[in-house]
C-alpha cells in the first residue's frame, strides 16, 4: 500500500532500517557530487545528480578477499558481515545494474563471494522529482521499497515483504498523489538500441573501431565506472606462511587482459579491445542474458577523458 | 543463510611423483588428499593453485578410467608453472575443478577418430587416448597425429612408444625439423602434410584437434579437403587466459561464449565464425 512519509516518518523509517542493517544513504560532497556512505543520522540527500560511484561496488568491491590459504593447504573463507547492508536512494539505473549483476553472479554456479555481501541486503529505490534540478526519475521498482518524491510530499511504496514490514504503521497516502508526476517507465535511449542493432547485424565497419580506438588512452575508467562490468583478476599476497587471495576489478581495455602465457593475445590491439567493450554489452550480453549489458547510466561517458564512453560512441555510430 | 560451497576455494592434493617429459615439460602425478576420485571426463581441466602465485588452468592428462590418481603435463611458462616444476613428491598442491565441457564422447563412438595434437595439446588428448585404450569396444579405429617443434620437444615419449606398438592405435609423429644427429624415426613437416598422407575412411570419421593457435586453420582446411565437411565432424579445444574457470571473471570470452565453461571443447561450427576464436 502507498504510504506518505513526513520528515519525522522518514527518520523513523531510517532508524528502523538501521537497527538490523548497516544503512548507507546518499550524502553530498563538497564538490556537489553524492556518494553512498554510512548513515550519519538526519535526513539523507535524496535530490541531485546520480550517485558518483557505482552502487554495485557494495556487492562487488574493487578489491575483495576471497580466502586465506596456508602452505599446508588449509583454506579460510571470510566471515559474512554480522549486519547485512541497506542501500537507500537507488535510481532505476542503479537498480537495473544490481539486477544485472545479481543474475550474472548468482546464476549457477553461484558466486559465493558476491552472495556473502548481497544476501539479505535491503534495496530502497528512489523516483519522482529527485533528479538533478528537480528532473523526474522514472519508477524504480526492482527493490524492497521505493521512495517517490512528488510535489511537497514523500511517498513510499513497498515492492517486497520486507518493504511492507518496514512501512507498517505509517500513514496511507492517496494514490492520486502519484498523478502529479510522470510515471512512465524508463526506456533505454533510442541511439543505444539502434547501435546495438547495427552491431548485431554486423554493420559496423572496422574503420569505425580503429578511429575510436585511436582516441582511447587505455585508462580503464569506462570499465571501473561501469555498474555492470564484472571482470576480475586474482591476486595473492603472502605474509610468511599465510596467503591472502583476493579478486580485483580488471579492465578489458588493458593489453594484458587476455594475453596468454604463450604470448598469443586474442585482444592484442586497441581496436579489438574497443570493439570488445561495446560488443560485449550490446551483443554478447543480449545473447547470453536476453538483455543489453548497458543500463545507460552514463557513468562511462562521464569517466572517459577522451569522450568515447558508451553513449557518445553509440551516437557517433548511429549518426554515421 | 547457507552460503554454497566456495567456488574459489582449492582442494588439497598430494603430489605423488614427478618426471621429466621434455626439457621444458614435466609430468605430475597427483591424488586428492581425501583419496576420492577427481570425477573428470577427458577434455576437462583444473585450476591449479599455489599460495602466493594464484592459479593456472591445466588440462587433465590422464583418463578417469585410470582411478583416483591423475596426471598433468605442464610446461614451464611463467611464475606459477616454474614454481610447480621445483616441487618434490610429498608437496601439497591446491586444485579446483574439474571444469569445462569435455570431449563429446558420444559423438566420437560412431566411426574412426583422428586425434590431432600440436605441442602441449597432447596433454588433454592423452586423457582421451587412454580412455579409448581402456574401452576399446566402444570406439572405432583411432589415428593419433602429433606434431612438435623438434624430436626433443615431443611430450609423453614413453606413451608414444606404447601407442606406436599397439595394434589398436595408429600413432604418428611429425616434427618441424630434425637435427642432424638424431635417432628420431618419425616424419618431418607440418601436421597438414602428415594428414594428407594418412590412409583412412572419412565416412563417419570425427577429428579432435588440440594445439597452438596457428595450428588450427591449416589443419582444418586439410581435414575438409579430405572429406570431413559438415557439422559435428571436427571438435577442438581452445586456450584462453583463465582466472576463474567458472564463467565469472571475463578473461576467457570468445564473443558471447566463455571458453572455460562453454568450452574449452567446441564443435568447429560453434566457433568458426566468431571473431578471434581461431
Ligand atoms: C584450458 C587450458 C588448459 C591448459 N592446459 C595446459 C596443460 O595441460 N599444460 C600446460 O603446460 N599448460 C596448459 N595451459 C596453459 C597454462 O595455463 C599456462 O601456461 C599457465 O597459465 C602459465 O602460468 P604461469 O603462472 O606459469 O605463467 P605466467 O606467465 O607467470 O602467467 C600466469 C597467468 O597470468 C597471465 N598474465 C601474465 N601476465 C599478466 C599480466 N601482466 N596481467 C594479468 N595477467 C597476466 C598469463 O596469461 C597466465 O595466464 C592450459 C591453458 C588453458 C586455458
Ligand atoms: S552507460 Fe557506460 S557505465 Fe553505464 S551501464 Fe552503460 S556501459 Fe556501463
Ligand atoms: S575511459 Fe575512455 S580512454 Fe579510458 S579506457 Fe575507457 S574508452 Fe579508453
Ligand atoms: S576463466 Fe573466468 S570466465 Fe572463463
Amino acid at each position: 500500500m502507498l504510504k506518505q512519509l513526513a520528515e519525522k516518518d522518514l527518520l523513523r523509517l531510517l532508524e528502523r532500517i538501521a537497527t538490523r542493517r548497516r544503512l548507507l544513504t546518499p550524502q553530498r560532497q563538497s564538490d556537489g557530487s553524492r556518494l553512498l556512505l554510512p548513515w550519519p543520522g538526519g535526513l539523507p540527500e535524496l535530490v541531485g545528480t546520480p550517485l558518483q560511484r557505482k552502487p554495485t561496488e557494495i556487492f562487488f568491491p574493487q578489491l575483495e578477499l576471497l580466502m586465506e590459504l596456508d602452505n599446508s593447504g588449509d583454506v579460510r573463507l571470510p566471515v559474512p558481515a554480522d549486519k547485512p547492508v541497506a542501500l537507500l536512494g537507488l535510481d532505476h539505473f542503479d537498480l537495473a545494474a544490481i539486477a544485472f549483476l545479481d543474475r550474472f553472479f548468482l546464476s549457477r554456479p553461484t558466486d559465493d563471494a558476491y552472495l556473502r555481501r548481497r544476501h539479505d541486503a535491503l534495496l530502497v529505490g528512489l523516483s519522482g522529482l529527485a533528479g538533478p534540478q528537480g528532473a523526474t526519475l522514472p519508477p524504480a521498482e526492482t527493490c524492497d521499497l521505493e521512495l517517490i518524491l512528488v510535489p511537497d510530499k514523500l511517498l513510499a511504496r513497498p515492492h517486497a515483504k520486507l518493504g511492507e514490514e518496514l512501512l507498517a504503521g505509517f500513514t496511507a497516502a492517496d494514490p492520486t498523489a502519484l498523478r502529479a508526476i510522470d510515471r512512465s517507465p524508463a526506456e533505454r535511449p533510442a541511439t543505444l538500441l539502434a547501435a546495438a542493432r547495427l552491431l548485431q547485424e554486423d554493420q559496423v565497419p572496422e574503420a569505425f573501431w580503429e578511429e575510436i580506438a585511436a582516441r582511447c588512452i587505455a585508462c580503464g575508467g569506462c570499465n571501473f565506472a561501469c555498474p555492470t562490468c564484472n571482470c576480475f583478476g586474482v591476486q595473492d599476497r603472502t605474509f610468511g606462511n599465510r596467503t591472502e587471495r583476493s579478486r580485483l576489478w580488471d579492465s578489458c581495455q588493458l593489453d594484458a587482459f587476455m594475453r596468454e602465457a604463450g604470448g598469443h593475445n586474442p585482444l592484442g590491439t586497441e581496436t579489438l579491445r574497443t570493439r570488445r567493450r561495446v560488443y560485449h554489452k550490446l551483443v554478447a550480453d543480449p545473447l547470453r542474458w536476453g538483455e543489453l549489458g548497458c543500463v545507460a547510466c552514463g557513468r562511462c561517458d562521464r569517466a572517459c577523458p577522451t569522450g568515447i564512453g558508451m553513449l557518445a560512441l553509440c551516437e557517433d555510430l548511429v549518426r554515421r | 543463510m547457507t552460503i554454497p560451497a566456495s567456488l574459489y576455494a582449492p582442494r588439497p592434493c598430494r603430489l605423488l611423483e614427478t618426471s621429466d617429459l621434455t626439457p621444458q615439460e614435466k609430468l605430475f602425478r597427483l591424488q586428492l588428499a581425501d583419496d576420492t576420485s577427481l570425477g573428470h571426463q577427458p577434455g576437462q581441466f583444473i585450476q591449479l593453485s599455489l599460495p602466493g602465485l594464484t592459479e593456472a588452468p591445466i588440462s587433465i592428462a590422464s583418463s578417469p578410467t585410470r582411478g583416483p590418481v591423475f596426471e598433468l603435463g605442464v610446461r614451464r611458462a611463467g611464475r606459477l608453472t616454474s614454481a610447480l616444476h621445483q616441487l618434490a613428491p610429498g608437496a601439497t598442491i591446491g586444485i579446483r575443478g574439474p571444469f569445462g565441457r569435455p570431449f563429446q564422447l558420444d559423438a566420437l563412438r560412431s566411426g574412426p577418430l583422428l586425434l590431432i595434437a600440436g605441442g602441449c595439446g597432447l596433454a588433454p588428448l592423452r586423457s582421451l587416448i587412454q580412455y579409448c585404450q581402456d574401452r576399446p569396444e566402444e570406439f572405432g579405429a583411432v589415428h593419433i597425429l602429433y606434431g612438435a617443434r623438434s624430436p626433443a620437444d615431443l611430450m609423453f615419449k614413453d606413451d608414444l612408444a606404447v601407442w606406436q606398438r599397439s595394434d589398436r592405435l595408429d600413432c604418428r609423429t611429425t616434427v618441424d625439423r630434425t637435427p642432424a644427429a638424431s635417432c628420431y624415426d618419425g616424419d618431418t613437416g607440418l601436421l597438414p602434410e602428415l594428414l594428407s598422407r594418412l590412409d583412412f575412411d572419412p565416412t563417419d570419421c570425427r577429428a579432435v584437434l588440440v594445439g597452438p593457435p596457428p595450428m588450427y586453420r591449416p589443419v582444418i582446411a586439410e581435414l575438409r579437403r579430405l572429406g570431413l565437411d559438415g557439422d559435428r565432424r571436427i571438435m577442438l579445444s581452445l586456450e584462453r587466459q583463465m582466472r576463474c574457470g567458472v564463467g565469472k571473471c571475463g578473461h576467457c570470452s570468445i564473443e558471447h561464449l566463455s571458453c572455460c565453461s562453454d568450452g574449452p571443447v567446441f564443435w568447429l561450427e560453434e566457433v568458426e565464425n566468431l571473431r578471434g576464436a581461431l
Side-chain angles (χ1 to χ4, degrees):
Chain A
M1 198 207 291
L2 193 66
K3 300 283 171 117
Q4 181 173 322
L5 303 177
E7 275 189 9
K8 65 172 188 349
D9 298 327
L10 177 59
L11 288 171
R12 250 174 65 212
L13 174 65
L14 298 188
E15 272 154 24
R16 266 188 203 176
I17 294 173
T19 51
R20 279 204 46 228
R21 293 190 155 73
R22 191 166 67 89
L23 173 60
L24 307 182
T25 59
Q27 286 159 49
R28 200 173 305 282
Q29 305 302 294
S30 55
D31 65 352
S33 68
R34 294 184 314 136
L35 295 179
L36 273 186
L37 292 171
W39 180 49
L43 291 171
E45 295 277 359
L46 292 182
V47 180
T49 48
L51 294 169
Q52 175 88 352
R53 300 176 57 143
K54 54 183 179 187
T56 47
E57 72 173 337
I58 311 289
F59 305 129
F60 176 51
Q62 193 266 333
L63 179 71
E64 165 137 77
L65 180 70
L66 292 175
M67 72 197 81
E68 280 185 17
L69 301 159
D70 72 24
N71 291 348
S72 67
D74 274 346
V75 175
R76 231 173 335 138
L77 297 176
V79 204
D82 48 354
K83 269 188 174 183
V85 80
L87 310 185
L88 182 133
L90 305 170
D91 65 20
H92 68 289
F93 293 128
D94 299 332
L95 290 174
I98 291 173
F100 185 89
L101 277 201
D102 281 355
R103 191 177 36 199
F104 179 82
F105 279 119
L106 302 180
S107 61
R108 277 169 191 276
T110 306
D111 186 289
D112 52 298
Y114 184 86
L115 183 59
R116 225 172 274 130
R117 290 177 184 271
R118 178 68 177 88
H119 180 78
D120 220 14
L122 179 84
L123 306 182
V124 180
L126 178 65
S127 63
L129 305 172
Q133 279 99 43
T136 308
L137 300 178
E141 296 177 335
T142 52
C143 57
D144 295 285
L145 76 94
E146 178 183 10
L147 299 177
I148 311 166
L149 203 58
V150 296
D152 309 320
K153 264 197 219 76
L154 182 65
L155 306 176
R157 170 183 270 169
H159 292 295
K161 194 158 153 278
L162 199 53
E164 232 158 74
E165 286 165 15
L166 285 164
L167 288 177
F170 291 114
T171 320
D174 176 0
T176 58
L178 280 176
R179 292 203 199 133
I181 55 166
D182 180 7
R183 290 294 279 168
S184 351
E187 273 173 21
R188 292 216 167 66
T191 42
L192 188 71
L193 298 175
R197 215 165 315 117
L198 287 171
L199 260 159
Q200 283 156 10
E201 292 164 0
D202 204 12
Q203 290 197 42
V204 184
E206 207 54 26
F208 176 78
W209 299 120
E210 279 167 19
E211 212 182 299
I212 299 289
R215 289 157 63 183
C216 175
I217 61 165
C219 63
C222 47
N223 296 130
F224 300 139
C226 177
T228 62
C229 270
N230 44 52
C231 292
F232 61 84
V234 177
Q235 157 190 294
D236 276 4
R237 289 176 61 198
T238 301
F239 309 89
N241 191 27
R242 187 175 65 84
T243 292
E244 289 180 2
R245 180 162 295 167
S246 309
R247 70 172 168 199
L248 63 169
W249 296 344
D250 207 341
S251 161
C252 60
Q253 299 309 290
L254 306 178
D255 182 60
F257 186 71
M258 284 187 87
R259 196 198 314 130
E260 291 152 37
H264 174 234
N265 190 348
L267 285 183
T269 67
E270 203 65 68
T271 305
L272 288 169
R273 293 191 285 275
T274 296
R275 176 182 173 276
R276 136 104 194 191
R277 165 169 69 93
V278 180
Y279 181 94
H280 198 90
K281 294 209 188 296
L282 302 192
V283 186
D285 282 333
L287 283 171
R288 195 145 197 122
W289 307 105
E291 194 196 344
L292 292 184
C294 169
V295 299
C297 71
R299 282 193 179 82
C300 58
D301 286 275
R302 294 192 288 276
C304 179
T306 67
I308 50 171
M310 182 67 93
L311 302 177
L313 183 150
C314 286
E315 256 171 49
D316 198 2
L317 177 63
V318 172
R319 192 161 6 93
R320 296 199 208 176
Chain B
M1 164 182 55
T2 48
I3 299 267
S6 174
L7 266 189
Y8 302 111
R11 295 188 281 169
C13 277
R14 273 192 315 275
L15 177 57
L16 304 176
E17 206 182 316
T18 70
S19 54
D20 287 337
L21 293 173
T22 71
Q24 50 305 324
E25 278 120 0
K26 266 187 163 182
L27 182 76
F28 297 85
R29 282 172 67 77
L30 294 158
Q31 183 161 9
L32 283 165
D34 61 11
D35 294 333
T36 55
S37 293
L38 190 54
H40 71 289
Q41 293 180 56
Q44 289 193 296
F45 67 95
I46 54 155
Q47 285 286 117
L48 194 151
S49 151
L50 290 181
L53 300 168
T54 73
E55 298 185 326
I58 302 291
S59 308
I60 304 156
S62 56
S63 165
T65 49
R66 305 267 162 122
V69 173
F70 60 95
E71 295 176 333
L72 311 172
V74 183
R75 171 174 297 176
R76 199 180 331 109
R79 288 192 339 129
L80 184 141
T81 47
S82 300
L84 185 71
H85 273 235
Q86 300 301 314
L87 293 180
T92 300
I93 297 175
I95 65 153
R96 291 192 296 123
F99 292 134
R101 180 197 198 190
F103 296 122
Q104 307 294 290
L105 289 174
D106 285 342
L108 299 181
R109 290 193 173 101
S110 56
L113 292 181
L114 301 181
L115 308 183
I116 306 172
C120 252
L122 189 57
L125 266 191
R126 181 174 177 264
S127 174
L128 179 58
I129 295 167
Q130 289 184 346
Y131 193 93
C132 295
Q133 276 184 304
D134 295 348
R135 308 246 173 114
E137 66 289 354
E138 295 180 18
F139 296 90
V142 177
H143 304 272
I144 301 163
L145 293 89
Y146 177 39
R149 269 195 210 129
S150 74
D153 294 318
L154 290 166
M155 285 175 82
F156 302 110
K157 288 189 193 66
D158 297 346
D159 293 289
L160 290 169
V162 173
W163 300 338
Q164 275 162 346
R165 282 198 302 273
S166 154
D167 324 325
R168 300 204 49 91
L169 302 169
D170 165 36
C171 174
R172 293 145 198 259
T173 60
T174 184
V175 296
D176 297 356
R177 56 191 179 297
T178 317
S182 167
C183 53
Y184 172 71
D185 59 0
D187 279 78
T188 305
L190 297 175
L191 277 165
E193 297 163 32
L194 182 62
L195 192 53
S196 66
R197 293 196 296 272
L198 193 72
D199 182 23
F200 72 102
D201 177 8
T203 331
D204 279 333
C205 175
R206 301 279 182 284
V208 183
L209 269 60
V210 198
M215 181 190 108
Y216 289 106
R217 290 203 179 271
V219 171
I220 290 164
E222 185 58 27
L223 285 170
R224 289 213 161 119
R225 201 186 61 79
L226 294 171
L228 270 79
D229 235 334
D231 283 357
R232 297 172 70 87
R233 300 298 299 273
I234 301 175
M235 198 182 281
L236 31 87
S237 178
L238 298 180
E239 198 175 307
R240 286 293 179 275
Q241 186 185 137
M242 293 184 182
R243 293 305 193 166
C244 72
V246 290
K248 305 291 187 194
C249 77
H251 283 271
C252 71
S253 63
I254 302 174
E255 300 291 61
H256 64 288
L257 301 176
S258 291
C259 188
C260 65
S261 41
D262 297 314
V265 172
F266 296 97
W267 287 106
L268 174 60
E269 61 274 15
E270 293 169 338
V271 291
E272 190 174 18
N273 296 319
L274 298 183
R275 183 94 66 109
L278 296 180

